[in-house]
Amino acid sequence: EDLKEEGYEILSESLLDAIKNEVSKAQKIETEPQQSIQPGSTNPQNSKRRYLCWNGIGSVISLDEGSYNFIEVEYSDSNIGRSIRFRDNWKFSLGSLGYCGVVFATQPNNNFDNEEIEDEKGAKTKGKRSVVYFVPLGTKSNKNAWTKFMPPEETVECTAVGYDWVAVASKKN
């Protein structure tokens, strides 16, 4: 009675059961997750020239030349670092630019189908792999760059670079 005086409506048991039933149905709806995105990148399907990364530090552009890509890294401020240009035989699809350098990654692709790959522990395997490649800022050559071949079951979904770290997220982890 007090609730009615305060303007609340009292619902019947059957109406409450119907509402609970509808809420229960709504909680069971499963939605498809969206495809992962790389912040600052452009859609790879629209052009032979696409941004892998564009942020306040600079930009990473991939130019599709058919059997390979050409990568251009440009810094917004020339005091941060020198421009980098190189031929990309792996056809990188992801990239991130930070103050410590630039990281690239590929989705698993046909480049490694029949090629035996040796990982950092010396184990040799065949199969499609994601590749991660890092070039430190301020190096005059790629001497300090490193490459990591992901295990066959791990697909790199995004990359990130901080002041003193590099990270990749995969479908597995």
Side-chain angles (χ1 to χ4, degrees):
E1 291 295 317
D2 292 337
L3 292 175
K4 282 186 179 179
E5 290 175 12
E6 292 181 27
Y8 291 98
E9 184 178 334
I10 305 297
L11 302 176
S12 68
E13 286 295 319
S14 61
L15 186 54
L16 282 173
D17 289 340
I19 291 171
K20 288 177 186 177
N21 188 29
E22 290 301 314
V23 169
S24 177
K25 284 182 191 175
Q27 289 174 343
K28 293 178 184 175
I29 295 174
E30 291 187 27
T31 58
E32 287 279 327
Q34 73 177 32
Q35 288 185 339
S36 59
I37 59 168
Q38 182 74 24
S41 67
T42 55
N43 189 336
Q45 300 169 359
N46 295 338
S47 174
K48 288 185 175 248
R49 176 184 171 95
R50 72 176 283 245
Y51 284 89
L52 298 181
C53 176
W54 182 24
N55 59 28
I57 299 168
S59 63
V60 179
I61 299 170
S62 176
L63 304 164
D64 185 353
E65 299 292 336
S67 62
Y68 65 93
N69 288 353
F70 192 72
I71 299 290
E72 296 178 352
V73 179
E74 298 284 336
Y75 289 92
S76 301
D77 181 352
S78 61
N79 293 323
I80 295 174
R82 65 177 181 83
S83 297
I84 302 169
R85 291 177 176 80
F86 65 92
R87 181 180 170 137
D88 165 23
N89 293 318
W90 284 313
K91 299 193 100 170
F92 296 120
S93 56
L94 301 167
S96 292
L97 180 62
Y99 288 109
C100 70
V102 60
V103 64
F104 302 94
T106 65
Q107 299 290 315
N109 59 43
N110 297 327
N111 292 353
F112 308 115
D113 266 352
N114 296 313
E115 186 176 331
E116 194 167 63
I117 299 170
E118 185 174 330
D119 67 16
E120 60 276 353
K121 295 177 183 172
K124 294 183 179 182
T125 57
K126 289 184 178 183
K128 294 181 180 182
R129 301 284 190 96
S130 284
V131 178
V132 178
Y133 178 63
F134 177 73
V135 180
L137 179 64
T139 57
K140 301 234 186 264
S141 70
N142 288 350
K143 186 169 61 172
N144 295 326
W146 52 260
T147 304
K148 167 81 173 155
F149 294 93
M150 301 299 286
E153 65 277 1
E154 286 196 69
T155 300
V156 175
E157 292 293 316
C158 69
T159 60
V161 179
Y163 281 98
D164 59 357
W165 53 266
V166 175
V168 296
S170 71
K171 281 193 175 189
K172 187 174 178 184
N173 292 314

